[in-house]
Amino acid sequence: MSLILIYVVVFGALMIFMTTRGRKKQATQAQMMQSALVIGADVRTIGGLVGTVVDLTDEYVVVETTPGVKLKFTKQAIAGVIPPESLEAFGTELTPAEEQAAEEDSAEQSAAEDEPAAEVEAETQPEDAKDQQKVG
């Protein structure tokens, strides 16, 4: 009986140690990230907003999401700093071939909008017997 009690106590202590160790590690990483924030850094909030840090205080971070739109967050709301390499993918310019393909797609879409209304009417015909009773 006492051997089982020893196993339970050791297992409980091990579980407590493992959970507190993980929390401390996560808290340390969050503290390091928050202390490393600088003006001009691109950040992501826990809500998914992405922007540039324009002002910092001890408790708050002001993030500019679009030109002229500034939002004030607590430092705990900042999920992480975005590395510059991932931002370059958003600002890439299109090659001439990609521009031509985009123009062709927009031309196809405008041609599809000019189709006769008869095809649209055929699509809106009732499919169910109850719907036919309501219509006619």
Side-chain angles (χ1 to χ4, degrees), residues 66-114:
T66 56
V69 178
K70 296 178 182 176
L71 304 170
K72 187 176 186 179
F73 294 98
T74 60
K75 281 190 173 182
Q76 291 81 15
I78 305 299
V81 178
I82 300 173
E85 302 86 41
S86 63
L87 285 177
E88 290 175 1
F90 293 117
T92 58
E93 295 184 19
L94 297 177
T95 64
E98 291 172 335
E99 288 178 7
Q100 184 178 7
E103 289 174 8
E104 289 173 1
D105 288 341
S106 63
E108 288 175 9
Q109 288 177 356
S110 63
E113 292 173 359
D114 295 335

Side-chain angles (χ1 to χ4, degrees), residues 6-135:
I6 292 172
Y7 284 141
V8 169
V9 170
V10 169
F11 182 72
L14 183 65
M15 292 299 292
I16 291 171
F17 173 74
M18 294 300 284
T19 56
T20 57
R21 180 177 168 226
R23 286 186 200 149
K24 285 182 182 179
K25 185 177 179 180
Q26 187 178 19
T28 304
Q29 288 177 344
Q31 182 66 29
M32 287 175 49
M33 188 273 305
Q34 290 171 6
S35 64
L37 286 174
V38 294
I39 294 176
D42 293 307
V43 295
R44 180 180 47 85
T45 66
I46 58 174
L49 290 172
V50 177
T52 304
V53 176
V54 292
D55 191 22
L56 282 171
T57 65
D58 289 339
E59 296 180 33
Y60 297 103
V61 178
V62 178
V63 177
E64 185 174 30
T65 56
T66 56
V69 178
K70 296 178 182 176
L71 304 170
K72 187 176 186 179
F73 294 98
T74 60
K75 281 190 173 182
Q76 291 81 15
I78 305 299
V81 178
I82 300 173
E85 302 86 41
S86 63
L87 285 177
E88 290 175 1
F90 293 117
T92 58
E93 295 184 19
L94 297 177
T95 64
E98 291 172 335
E99 288 178 7
Q100 184 178 7
E103 289 174 8
E104 289 173 1
D105 288 341
S106 63
E108 288 175 9
Q109 288 177 356
S110 63
E113 292 173 359
D114 295 335
E115 289 180 2
E119 290 181 16
V120 174
E121 279 184 29
E123 292 176 3
T124 59
Q125 292 296 323
E127 297 175 5
D128 194 12
K130 290 180 182 179
D131 290 340
Q132 289 177 351
Q133 291 175 357
K134 291 179 186 176
V135 172

